[in-house]
Amino acid sequence: MSILKTALLTAALLMGAAVSASADSFPVKISVDAAKTTGPVEPIWRFFGADEPNYATMKDGRSLLTSLGALSPGHVYFRAHNLLTSGDGTPALKWGSTNAYTEDAQGHPVYDWRIIDRIFDTYLARGVKPYVEIGFMPEALSTQPQPYQHTWRPGSGSLRTGWAYPPKDYGKWEELVYQWVKHCVERYGHDEVASWYWQTWNEANLPQYYWGGTRGEFFKLHEVSVRAVRRALPEARVGGPDMAGANDDFMSAFMDHMEKTATPTDFLSFHAKGGPEFVEGHVRMGLATQLRAADHEFAAIAARPAFKDKPIIIGEFDPEGCAACQGPANAYRNGTMYSSYTAASFTRVAELAQRRGVKLEGALSWAFEFEDQRYFAGFRQLASNGIDMPVLNVFRLFSRMKGQHVAALSDHQTPLDAVMTSGVRDDADVGVTAARDGDRLSILVWHYHDDDVAGPDAAVSLALDHLPAAFKKGAVMTRYRIDATHANSFAAYQAMGSPLAPDNAQYDALKAAALLAPDQPAALNINAGETSLNFELPRQGVTLLVITPVN
């Protein structure tokens, strides 16, 4: 194969080349009982994050934060690494800095909150609250300060350098955290800061990456950090350990230590990632891997009487583990594979938590944006150069579901146990979840498969029963779609030839193609509280039906 052909193939894989759907379809029956509620809709989707904190204050970062805040103003949270890392605030892949802590010639602390303030100001001005990760180690406090900034880049370099080590003085670390929280209270107010989440470090159970100390040293760091936060703000919401879900005993050991030391713990947090592969010329997702990682930690928490009722935040919940990495196995990111996977995975993890009897408060998508990179460069992100990607529109669909869940069944929804065992490798997963908010009904349907290859559409027949009396005169259905031709900026980018630098007209066309625009509202006849409708749902497609009564 020529060098040119190889380069073109690699580019196509990185960008998640679209597949053509078959003209055939298979029948799917879905039923929704509007009268049978099954529990409140919990907005677990409203958490986001990124390695690079400084992107938030840049042009496209500000734009994306505005979109995230608009999903549920004042209830969306953002977690970022590197909030205490030393440096001048210049971002890079998997890097950022604020220079919050330095020391003078005599070794006295010097605090500078200007860059952190700018980051948090940017969040709050757009309806987003901080999920504060207390880390990483300032150069002046690190036990191994040199080399300090890592040399990591996609495919090479070393990640764990001076920023990843324990403090040489835990007293100075504790005072740094105390002064930081005290400053936040003074700047933003007691009630505002009390509504944030505070947690220590990131994935301290992965010593090859994020933590250069022992397990005991991390537990000590967490203990003194919580003490510092609560000293500045007794009502602060504190928790952790935001560990990688690696099927180890770290969570159990953490709970042991917190119980033994009586360290306050308002929530528990861990990460759960999938494992996509590139097989036989296409991406194969690892949904089962991600769900098993979550279930392992759910089970550990459920087994502990002192912790089983604590809220849980999955502090990173993603199809794989490196947003800044690129390569063929990550080619799902730009197109509708990512959006359909998100619909299928969030619904399943909520089901798992319910099965284990634990309280899942949030599942955080470690996805934001990468400033001034090429268009659709193959990163795990929600927008590219200010253009929304299909996955962001799934969160817009999630945000439209409110009230109480109602009973919904699909005869092609893969059972949870089967997904946990082997993923979605045989028949496609055409699943459903529905909610009722007063007289407003919302029905989310997805068509997912682990293999990113062509497949037939789902011909859905949906039966809706036990509508309330308000629907006696009829109903109006508004439909939103995310598929190859709807709410899909990447497909539009490919159609225009994947220009390296879109001109103004092309850029505006990409922005328009990204919009989650509803179909023309359609009238539905209601007969004795029942109605039915039919629609096609392409493979990798997601749709939301919003049904309201005729006035």
Side-chain angles (χ1 to χ4, degrees):
M1 183 180 291
S2 70
I3 294 175
L4 177 59
K5 287 183 177 178
T6 301
L8 290 173
L9 174 60
T10 301
L13 293 174
L14 287 173
M15 293 187 176
V19 296
S20 300
S22 166
D24 298 328
S25 61
F26 60 93
V28 176
K29 292 183 178 180
I30 291 178
S31 61
V32 176
D33 187 339
K36 187 177 181 181
T37 59
T38 59
V41 174
E42 300 289 353
I44 64 170
W45 52 266
R46 60 195 171 93
F47 296 79
F48 303 91
D51 294 69
E52 304 84 7
N54 308 99
Y55 285 158
T57 62
M58 300 175 77
K59 62 182 187 310
D60 294 334
R62 296 192 303 268
S63 175
L64 181 52
L65 283 171
T66 299
S67 296
L68 296 181
L71 296 173
S72 185
H75 300 284
V76 173
Y77 286 84
F78 199 91
R79 176 176 180 257
H81 295 340
N82 294 298
L83 290 176
L84 295 177
T85 303
S86 299
D88 62 4
T90 301
L93 295 180
K94 295 184 74 67
W95 180 257
S97 59
T98 66
N99 226 43
Y101 181 92
T102 54
E103 293 181 353
D104 64 18
Q106 289 73 44
H108 300 135
V110 177
Y111 305 112
D112 185 344
W113 311 118
R114 286 175 294 178
I115 295 178
I116 290 182
D117 286 349
R118 197 153 60 242
I119 292 168
F120 285 0
D121 289 353
T122 303
Y123 295 172
L124 293 165
R126 290 158 178 80
V128 176
K129 292 177 180 287
Y131 178 121
V132 186
E133 178 188 309
I134 305 171
F136 294 124
M137 193 57 59
E139 186 174 7
L141 283 180
S142 176
T143 53
Q144 295 193 36
Q146 295 299 325
Y148 187 72
Q149 183 170 353
H150 66 65
T151 59
W152 185 94
R153 57 187 56 81
S156 66
S158 177
L159 184 64
R160 196 190 75 181
T161 49
W163 59 269
Y165 284 86
K168 62 185 181 184
D169 187 324
Y170 282 89
K172 285 185 174 180
W173 170 266
E174 181 175 345
E175 187 64 17
L176 164 61
V177 176
Y178 167 76
Q179 292 293 338
W180 184 17
V181 180
K182 178 173 175 287
H183 168 78
C184 287
V185 172
E186 291 169 350
R187 184 176 182 84
Y188 302 112
H190 172 283
D191 291 349
E192 174 58 42
V193 181
S195 72
W196 302 357
Y197 296 85
W198 296 82
Q199 58 86 199
T200 310
W201 219 257
N202 177 70
E203 297 184 349
N205 61 327
L206 297 183
Q208 69 272 38
Y209 298 123
Y210 285 101
W211 182 241
T214 65
R215 180 180 288 191
E217 286 172 321
F218 168 72
F219 290 163
K220 181 177 180 180
L221 186 81
H222 177 74
E223 185 182 342
V224 301
S225 298
V226 169
R227 184 165 64 230
V229 173
R230 283 289 183 87
R231 181 156 58 96
L233 180 61
E235 297 79 16
R237 183 162 46 183
V238 294
D242 264 280
M243 52 166 282
N247 291 327
D248 58 17
D249 66 345
F250 196 89
M251 179 63 78
S252 294
F254 175 81
M255 291 186 289
D256 284 342
H257 188 82
M258 296 305 101
E259 196 165 9
K260 180 180 178 180
T261 59
T263 301
T265 305
D266 296 316
F267 65 95
L268 293 166
S269 54
F270 62 84
H271 302 169
K273 306 283 188 172
E277 304 172 290
F278 191 72
V279 297
E280 299 177 355
H282 70 272
V283 176
R284 173 173 288 168
M285 303 298 285
L287 179 56
T289 300
Q290 185 173 3
L291 294 178
R292 286 196 296 263
D295 194 50
H296 181 271
E297 308 310 329
F298 286 159
I301 295 167
R304 301 296 293 268
F307 294 94
K308 68 181 182 65
D309 294 325
K310 298 285 186 183
I312 295 170
I313 307 248
I314 305 179
E316 296 181 22
F317 185 67
D318 305 290
E320 35 69 35
C322 179
C325 295
Q326 298 165 299
N330 294 330
Y332 71 88
R333 292 168 166 177
N334 288 325
T336 54
M337 173 60 91
Y338 192 7
S339 46
S340 61
Y341 182 101
T342 299
S345 62
F346 272 71
T347 307
R348 270 20 182 280
V349 78
E351 188 178 352
L352 270 179
Q354 186 176 33
R355 175 185 286 187
R356 289 291 186 182
V358 295
K359 178 178 173 51
L360 179 59
E361 189 162 300
L364 187 151
S365 296
W366 199 252
F368 188 50
E369 63 98 26
F370 291 84
E371 200 81 15
D372 293 329
Q373 298 288 335
R374 65 182 174 85
Y375 286 78
F376 303 98
F379 296 120
R380 189 173 71 234
Q381 54 190 353
L382 303 175
S384 175
N385 286 280
I387 297 166
D388 295 347
M389 299 174 74
V391 67
L392 179 55
N393 284 318
V394 172
F395 295 102
R396 292 190 170 108
L397 298 186
F398 286 161
S399 74
R400 286 167 164 79
M401 300 192 72
K402 303 178 187 300
Q404 293 283 321
H405 281 295
V406 295
L409 296 172
S410 167
D411 66 357
H412 273 70
Q413 183 161 330
T414 309
L416 178 59
D417 288 331
V419 177
M420 293 277 289
T421 300
S422 55
V424 182
R425 303 292 170 85
D426 295 319
D427 292 338
D429 174 43
V430 183
V432 61
T433 184
R436 178 180 162 188
D437 186 21
D439 291 328
R440 179 183 181 274
L441 192 70
S442 52
I443 305 168
L444 182 74
V445 186
W446 63 88
H447 182 175
Y448 171 74
H449 198 286
D450 278 346
D451 288 301
D452 191 12
V453 296
D457 292 357
V460 179
S461 298
L462 191 153
L464 182 56
D465 299 327
H466 299 121
L467 288 165
F471 285 85
K472 187 177 297 184
K473 295 181 180 179
V476 175
M477 181 188 74
T478 302
R479 184 183 179 191
Y480 299 87
R481 295 194 258 179
I482 305 168
D483 54 40
T485 57
H486 298 85
N488 191 334
S489 57
F490 180 59
Y493 179 72
Q494 289 181 307
M496 63 176 58
S498 303
L500 179 64
D503 60 28
N504 286 339
Q506 290 172 320
Y507 189 87
D508 290 344
L510 292 173
K511 293 280 284 187
L515 293 175
L516 183 68
D519 291 354
Q520 189 70 25
L524 298 177
N525 293 323
I526 307 299
N527 183 14
E530 299 180 359
T531 191
S532 62
L533 56 106
N534 301 297
F535 59 89
E536 296 275 320
L537 185 60
R539 190 171 172 113
Q540 300 180 6
V542 183
T543 191
L544 181 73
L545 312 176
V546 178
I547 300 173
T548 54
V550 172
N551 293 327

